[in-house]
Structures are given as C-alpha cells and as structure tokens.
Amino acid sequence: EAVTLAEALALMDAETRGLWDAQSLGYTETKGHPAMLAELEALYPGAACQEIAPQEGILLAYAALLEPGDGVVATAPGYQSWFTCAEAAGGVV
C-alpha cells in the first residue's frame, strides 16, 4: 500500500528528518555521503569504504532485479547510467 510523503516523513527520527530537511536538488559528495560510507564500514568490518560510485550501485541493483529482456523506463534526458547499466544487465530501455 502506498503512503504519502507526509506519512513517510512522520516515520523519520529526528536525525533522519534533519538530513531530509537539509537536502538540496544538487549533486551529493562525489565519493558518496559520509553517513552512507560509515554505515557500509559498520556492515563490513575491516573494509575501507573510500568511494562508492553511483553507477556501481545502479548496475548492482539492475543485475539483481532484471531478467534478460526486461523493460526499463527511464527519463530522457537523464543520468546516463540509468540507460547503460540497464542494458549491461540485460534490460531493454
């Protein structure tokens, strides 16, 4: 069942809501958000998460979700990885 944005925001703790409220519609840090890198390092002790490239996450998500020939809808113009990663994972854009 879908929820409204207001309902989703009401579920956030104060820290998460503060991060949400501070978001802008610009680019994030090139190496990935520091909070995300810290969470990954906590999940994988001994790993040094120095950089997470967006296209790697997109490709991994597509590889896990798509079957060969699955259709992918993407906006154009758009982020190039939406197209190339979908095709690399066997999807049809």
Side-chain angles (χ1 to χ4, degrees):
E1 180 177 319
V3 298
T4 67
L5 179 57
E7 291 169 329
L9 293 174
L11 296 173
M12 293 181 181
D13 61 29
E15 179 185 7
T16 304
R17 181 59 193 257
L19 290 169
W20 174 265
D21 290 341
Q23 287 296 309
S24 68
L25 296 178
Y27 288 102
T28 186
E29 292 87 346
T30 303
K31 294 184 177 187
H33 194 283
M36 179 189 69
L37 296 173
E39 288 292 325
L40 289 171
E41 288 177 351
L43 284 171
Y44 301 100
C49 297
Q50 299 296 319
E51 181 173 342
I52 304 296
Q55 65 272 15
E56 292 166 352
I58 294 168
L59 179 58
L60 289 173
Y62 280 151
L65 297 171
L66 296 177
E67 297 291 333
D70 281 354
V72 175
V73 177
T75 59
Y79 189 57
Q80 182 179 357
S81 290
W82 289 124
F83 311 104
T84 56
C85 289
E87 293 166 348
V92 178
V93 180

